Every structure is written in C-alpha cells, then in structure tokens.
Amino acid sequence: MKRIKLLLVLLVSSVTLTSCVVTNDFVDDSETLHQYISSYDLWYVDYHRTTGSGDVPFLSRAFTISFLNGTMYANNNIVDIGHTGNGLGIAVGNYNTIGTVLETRHDIDGRYDFDVVQLSSNEIRIDDLSQNVSYYLIGYQRNSFDYDKLFYDNIEYFLQEFEAWERTDEAGGTPNPFDNENFLRFTPENDVTFYSSHDPFGTDIARISWDYIGGYIVKNVAGEDNLKYLTLNYDNGDTEEFDLTVINDETIKLYHVNSNTTYVFSGRGFIQYKKGEKTSSTRPAVRNNGRKRTKIERETVPKRK
C-alpha cells in the first residue's frame, strides 16, 4: 500500500487575551505521521490547554502518552513516573495512522480517531473527529523530560496519589497549633478537599481518625516555576498558609508562614491509577475510580517578601 505522507497545516492564530503566535515547523517530506509520533519517547498531555466540550477518557487520565511500534502507553500517575514501564508507563491500547489521522483503540475506552496538527517541532494538537475536543501534546525524550513542570503543573493530582501524608520531619520556627497535625490527606472531592489527623506517628492508614476537614487552595507564584503557595482553610475557621515545594515523588516540604517552621511530609499508601481503575498498595482503594483531570485555573500572586 502506498504510504501517505504527513500533511502539515499552516495555522494562523488570532490574537486573544490568552493566545500566542503559533508557527509551524515542517517535518521532512519523507516522514510519515507514524514515524513522527514515535520519534518522541513521551508526549506530555498539557491538559490545562484542552479546548472543547467533549472528553476522551484515557487522555483525561494520562499525564503522558507514548506511541511505539503500534502500542500505546500512558503514565496515569505522577508518582513513579520515569520508572514505571521504563518511563513509558503501562500499555493501554493500540494505534495506527492514515495520512494526518491518528487512530487509537484503548483497551477499556474503545476507539477514538484524531486529526493531528503540528504546531512546532515537538508540539501537536490532536482534534477528536467524533466530538468537540482538542488536546495539546508536547514531545520529549525520556532523558530530557521536564519532570518539574509535570509535578508543579499538576500539584493537586500529585497530592491525591497517596492515602495519607505523614509528617516525618520538622525544623525551626515557633510552637503553633499545626505542630499537632501528624497526617494530611488530599482527596479528589472537587479537587479542593483535605483532611488532617492528630493520630500518633506510625498509625495504620486504615485506622487513622481524620479529626478535621476543610478546603485547600494552591496558588502560582509569579516568577517561580518550582514553588506554590498552599492555603488550608479548616471548616472550624482556622487558616494555615505554606510555601509548598516538592522534594521527590513521595516527599513534600511545607514552610509555615506564620511560625517560620519547616515541615516535611512523606506519602503513605500509594494509589496506582491503571487503565480505567485504581489500586492501592496498602488496601483496596475506594474513592475516585478512574480519576480524570479537570482544567485547573490557579491565581498567580507575587512572591512573599
């Protein structure tokens, strides 16, 4: 069968409050879509740029998608990304290409076909041919993948990937009520719900008594890519503010603004999200089956002095 070459469409973007100028880089004439999408190890799903009213479930779950020799892979977790499946994640389905069309068949979600538009040498937009939704993918090699961008762009989802966060270190500062908070839990309930507990360190996750509940807010910090501001608003009226940084994929650091205390919390009970379900490493997980992302719009604030 004659191989149909990838046709690249020149886009002329209009100027809006949130748009930017887009120019196309052209793939060599001998390169097909199949070769092009497999030339990058990982395609980061920049979900917060998604447009349209439709939904493709497996893309709403995935942080990265990979295409290799007809098999489609996905990283549905932030924790252990770079390690699971040698960095590609887990096999989730198959794919094929015809001209500019990417045909996918997900093991659970079924068939979805997309028209592929190249925006730059390593960025594409894929338009679902059966519904009104478009996704933006950024291509990386495994050794140059921007893990910091992944963690901080999706910090709410990272916090949700453990059944609990246990305080494992504390340094500096003055005594304050938050010193009693030994466990935190961030849930997918509206992406803003948290719980806290005063239970003794080492308490089995299934036996933790969640003493307090509230809502949390994450804010971007102007000029800082690797720092977020976290505010915990307890239902009893208390408010705690922190500088939030990620140490690694199971450890976070919270700097308490009012007391100048630095707390380190470590994740316990990793929740693995698979093709369309999730499992926990400690006990059967019961919340948020088949987690999907929503577009998160954060406020950006000046850096504290």
Side-chain angles (χ1 to χ4, degrees):
M1 178 183 294
K2 182 178 179 181
R3 304 175 76 180
I4 303 176
K5 299 177 181 177
L6 171 62
L7 304 177
L8 299 176
V9 180
L10 178 62
L11 297 182
V12 180
S13 62
S14 60
V15 178
T16 67
L17 292 177
T18 59
S19 68
C20 60
V21 176
V22 176
T23 59
N24 276 5
D25 290 344
F26 288 88
V27 177
D28 185 85
D29 286 343
S30 64
E31 187 170 38
T32 65
L33 175 58
H34 196 282
Q35 293 170 323
Y36 174 64
I37 62 172
S38 63
S39 67
Y40 289 98
D41 296 329
L42 299 165
W43 289 94
Y44 171 59
V45 183
D46 196 353
Y47 189 81
H48 307 304
R49 293 168 61 192
T50 301
T51 59
S53 57
D55 177 66
V56 178
F58 74 88
L59 287 175
S60 296
R61 287 191 293 268
F63 294 99
T64 70
I65 291 286
S66 298
F67 305 94
L68 181 63
N69 298 327
T71 300
M72 187 167 59
Y73 300 83
N75 275 298
N76 295 332
N77 278 91
I78 296 177
V79 176
D80 274 349
I81 195 168
H83 302 286
T84 303
N86 199 25
L88 299 181
I90 60 175
V92 296
N94 302 305
Y95 72 94
N96 190 27
T97 60
I98 300 179
T100 61
V101 175
L102 170 65
E103 300 176 338
T104 67
R105 186 174 295 277
H106 189 268
D107 290 344
I108 293 175
D109 299 333
R111 180 171 176 171
Y112 289 88
D113 296 341
F114 306 89
D115 186 51
V116 179
V117 178
Q118 186 182 16
L119 304 180
S120 73
S121 61
N122 72 325
E123 185 174 354
I124 57 177
R125 190 189 74 229
I126 58 174
D127 304 326
D128 191 311
L129 294 177
S130 63
Q131 58 180 326
N132 176 29
V133 63
S134 298
Y135 296 88
Y136 291 79
L137 311 183
I138 304 172
Y140 292 93
Q141 306 305 341
R142 275 174 284 191
N143 60 3
S144 62
F145 185 73
D146 193 343
Y147 291 98
D148 287 342
K149 176 179 175 61
L150 173 68
F151 275 85
Y152 286 96
D153 279 1
N154 302 282
I155 193 74
E156 290 86 351
Y157 299 102
F158 171 52
L159 295 175
Q160 296 169 13
E161 290 192 358
F162 290 98
E163 299 266 356
W165 291 87
E166 181 176 16
R167 180 158 55 90
T168 53
D169 197 11
E170 177 182 341
T174 57
N176 70 93
F178 194 78
D179 289 340
N180 299 317
E181 302 287 43
N182 296 334
F183 294 93
L184 293 174
R185 180 186 186 188
F186 300 89
T187 79
E189 299 168 49
N190 301 317
D191 288 327
V192 293
T193 303
F194 81 94
Y195 298 83
S196 68
S197 175
H198 293 179
D199 282 358
F201 297 119
T203 300
D204 185 87
I205 296 174
R207 297 183 178 275
I208 293 176
S209 175
W210 296 104
D211 305 303
Y212 299 97
I213 184 175
Y216 69 96
I217 300 172
V218 176
K219 295 181 181 179
N220 296 327
V221 182
E224 297 289 339
D225 293 330
N226 299 336
L227 171 67
K228 299 296 180 187
Y229 288 163
L230 171 68
T231 301
L232 302 181
N233 296 309
Y234 289 78
D235 282 358
N236 64 8
D238 292 340
T239 297
E240 305 287 1
E241 295 185 332
F242 305 89
D243 292 359
L244 166 62
T245 52
V246 177
I247 298 177
N248 56 44
D249 67 355
E250 60 180 16
T251 314
I252 59 173
K253 181 169 67 176
L254 299 178
Y255 172 76
H256 190 248
V257 175
N258 290 336
S259 70
N260 298 317
T261 306
T262 298
Y263 303 96
V264 175
F265 282 81
S266 298
R268 289 184 52 192
F270 169 51
I271 302 169
Q272 184 179 17
Y273 293 82
K274 294 189 175 181
K275 295 176 183 178
E277 58 185 9
K278 70 177 187 176
T279 59
S280 169
S281 61
T282 57
R283 61 185 175 88
V286 295
R287 54 185 171 86
N288 196 32
N289 186 39
R291 173 181 66 173
K292 293 183 182 180
R293 284 183 287 168
T294 57
K295 293 175 68 174
I296 296 173
E297 298 181 2
R298 300 192 197 95
E299 180 184 0
T300 298
V301 297
K303 188 175 182 179
R304 296 188 182 105
K305 297 181 179 179

